[in-house]
PDB file of all heavy atoms in Angstrom:
ATOM      1  N   GLN A 716       3.894 -11.152  -1.199  1.00 98.00           N
ATOM      2  CA  GLN A 716       3.900 -11.381   0.289  1.00 98.00           C
ATOM      3  C   GLN A 716       3.415 -10.253   1.082  1.00 98.00           C
ATOM      4  O   GLN A 716       2.635 -10.371   2.001  1.00 98.00           O
ATOM      5  CB  GLN A 716       5.321 -11.818   0.717  1.00 98.00           C
ATOM      6  CG  GLN A 716       5.395 -12.198   2.181  1.00 98.00           C
ATOM      7  CD  GLN A 716       4.605 -13.450   2.479  1.00 98.00           C
ATOM      8  OE1 GLN A 716       4.820 -14.540   1.876  1.00 98.00           O
ATOM      9  NE2 GLN A 716       3.725 -13.437   3.398  1.00 98.00           N
ATOM     10  N   VAL A 717       3.757  -9.020   0.651  1.00 98.00           N
ATOM     11  CA  VAL A 717       3.250  -7.754   1.310  1.00 98.00           C
ATOM     12  C   VAL A 717       1.773  -7.740   1.149  1.00 98.00           C
ATOM     13  O   VAL A 717       1.047  -7.402   2.122  1.00 98.00           O
ATOM     14  CB  VAL A 717       3.972  -6.582   0.723  1.00 98.00           C
ATOM     15  CG1 VAL A 717       3.259  -5.268   1.095  1.00 98.00           C
ATOM     16  CG2 VAL A 717       5.415  -6.531   1.125  1.00 98.00           C
ATOM     17  N   ILE A 718       1.264  -8.009  -0.022  1.00 98.00           N
ATOM     18  CA  ILE A 718      -0.253  -8.088  -0.222  1.00 98.00           C
ATOM     19  C   ILE A 718      -0.885  -8.977   0.750  1.00 98.00           C
ATOM     20  O   ILE A 718      -1.849  -8.605   1.374  1.00 98.00           O
ATOM     21  CB  ILE A 718      -0.577  -8.382  -1.708  1.00 98.00           C
ATOM     22  CG1 ILE A 718      -0.148  -7.244  -2.577  1.00 98.00           C
ATOM     23  CG2 ILE A 718      -2.039  -8.692  -1.896  1.00 98.00           C
ATOM     24  CD1 ILE A 718      -0.137  -7.598  -4.072  1.00 98.00           C
ATOM     25  N   ALA A 719      -0.378 -10.221   0.808  1.00 97.00           N
ATOM     26  CA  ALA A 719      -0.950 -11.193   1.691  1.00 97.00           C
ATOM     27  C   ALA A 719      -0.935 -10.721   3.164  1.00 97.00           C
ATOM     28  O   ALA A 719      -1.886 -10.850   3.924  1.00 97.00           O
ATOM     29  CB  ALA A 719      -0.189 -12.557   1.600  1.00 97.00           C
ATOM     30  N   ASN A 720       0.216 -10.131   3.560  1.00 96.00           N
ATOM     31  CA  ASN A 720       0.280  -9.650   4.934  1.00 96.00           C
ATOM     32  C   ASN A 720      -0.611  -8.521   5.204  1.00 96.00           C
ATOM     33  O   ASN A 720      -1.258  -8.399   6.247  1.00 96.00           O
ATOM     34  CB  ASN A 720       1.728  -9.225   5.265  1.00 96.00           C
ATOM     35  CG  ASN A 720       2.674 -10.377   5.255  1.00 96.00           C
ATOM     36  OD1 ASN A 720       2.311 -11.534   5.260  1.00 96.00           O
ATOM     37  ND2 ASN A 720       4.028 -10.106   5.199  1.00 96.00           N
ATOM     38  N   CYS A 721      -0.811  -7.562   4.203  1.00 96.00           N
ATOM     39  CA  CYS A 721      -1.732  -6.471   4.405  1.00 96.00           C
ATOM     40  C   CYS A 721      -3.163  -7.029   4.541  1.00 96.00           C
ATOM     41  O   CYS A 721      -3.967  -6.485   5.382  1.00 96.00           O
ATOM     42  CB  CYS A 721      -1.654  -5.523   3.184  1.00 96.00           C
ATOM     43  SG  CYS A 721      -0.193  -4.451   3.110  1.00 96.00           S
ATOM     44  N   LEU A 722      -3.514  -7.970   3.725  1.00 97.00           N
ATOM     45  CA  LEU A 722      -4.922  -8.493   3.793  1.00 97.00           C
ATOM     46  C   LEU A 722      -5.140  -9.128   5.131  1.00 97.00           C
ATOM     47  O   LEU A 722      -6.221  -8.937   5.758  1.00 97.00           O
ATOM     48  CB  LEU A 722      -5.163  -9.477   2.672  1.00 97.00           C
ATOM     49  CG  LEU A 722      -5.215  -8.895   1.264  1.00 97.00           C
ATOM     50  CD1 LEU A 722      -5.144  -9.993   0.248  1.00 97.00           C
ATOM     51  CD2 LEU A 722      -6.448  -8.028   1.063  1.00 97.00           C
ATOM     52  N   ALA A 723      -4.132  -9.787   5.702  1.00 95.00           N
ATOM     53  CA  ALA A 723      -4.222 -10.486   7.038  1.00 95.00           C
ATOM     54  C   ALA A 723      -4.431  -9.462   8.100  1.00 95.00           C
ATOM     55  O   ALA A 723      -5.302  -9.618   9.000  1.00 95.00           O
ATOM     56  CB  ALA A 723      -3.044 -11.388   7.242  1.00 95.00           C
ATOM     57  N   VAL A 724      -3.616  -8.371   8.116  1.00 93.00           N
ATOM     58  CA  VAL A 724      -3.629  -7.410   9.215  1.00 93.00           C
ATOM     59  C   VAL A 724      -4.966  -6.564   9.101  1.00 93.00           C
ATOM     60  O   VAL A 724      -5.537  -6.205  10.061  1.00 93.00           O
ATOM     61  CB  VAL A 724      -2.428  -6.557   9.325  1.00 93.00           C
ATOM     62  CG1 VAL A 724      -1.220  -7.410   9.702  1.00 93.00           C
ATOM     63  CG2 VAL A 724      -2.115  -5.735   8.132  1.00 93.00           C
ATOM     64  N   LEU A 725      -5.393  -6.264   7.871  1.00 94.00           N
ATOM     65  CA  LEU A 725      -6.632  -5.585   7.744  1.00 94.00           C
ATOM     66  C   LEU A 725      -7.812  -6.388   8.277  1.00 94.00           C
ATOM     67  O   LEU A 725      -8.647  -5.846   9.062  1.00 94.00           O
ATOM     68  CB  LEU A 725      -6.931  -5.217   6.195  1.00 94.00           C
ATOM     69  CG  LEU A 725      -6.187  -4.076   5.658  1.00 94.00           C
ATOM     70  CD1 LEU A 725      -6.332  -4.043   4.099  1.00 94.00           C
ATOM     71  CD2 LEU A 725      -6.634  -2.747   6.235  1.00 94.00           C
ATOM     72  N   ALA A 726      -7.861  -7.630   7.936  1.00 94.00           N
ATOM     73  CA  ALA A 726      -8.874  -8.535   8.411  1.00 94.00           C
ATOM     74  C   ALA A 726      -8.856  -8.620   9.928  1.00 94.00           C
ATOM     75  O   ALA A 726      -9.922  -8.575  10.583  1.00 94.00           O
ATOM     76  CB  ALA A 726      -8.713  -9.883   7.811  1.00 94.00           C
ATOM     77  N   ALA A 727      -7.677  -8.670  10.542  1.00 93.00           N
ATOM     78  CA  ALA A 727      -7.570  -8.785  11.998  1.00 93.00           C
ATOM     79  C   ALA A 727      -8.131  -7.480  12.629  1.00 93.00           C
ATOM     80  O   ALA A 727      -8.606  -7.548  13.749  1.00 93.00           O
ATOM     81  CB  ALA A 727      -6.064  -8.968  12.416  1.00 93.00           C
ATOM     82  N   ALA A 728      -7.993  -6.372  11.930  1.00 93.00           N
ATOM     83  CA  ALA A 728      -8.507  -5.123  12.493  1.00 93.00           C
ATOM     84  C   ALA A 728     -10.000  -4.951  12.210  1.00 93.00           C
ATOM     85  O   ALA A 728     -10.621  -3.955  12.639  1.00 93.00           O
ATOM     86  CB  ALA A 728      -7.733  -3.939  11.874  1.00 93.00           C
ATOM     87  N   GLY A 729     -10.614  -5.859  11.463  1.00 92.00           N
ATOM     88  CA  GLY A 729     -12.003  -5.792  11.112  1.00 92.00           C
ATOM     89  C   GLY A 729     -12.262  -4.807   9.951  1.00 92.00           C
ATOM     90  O   GLY A 729     -13.329  -4.290   9.775  1.00 92.00           O
TER      91      GLY A 729
END
Side-chain angles (χ1 to χ4, degrees):
Q716 184 65 53
V717 166
I718 290 165
N720 293 349
C721 286
L722 291 169
V724 296
L725 282 169

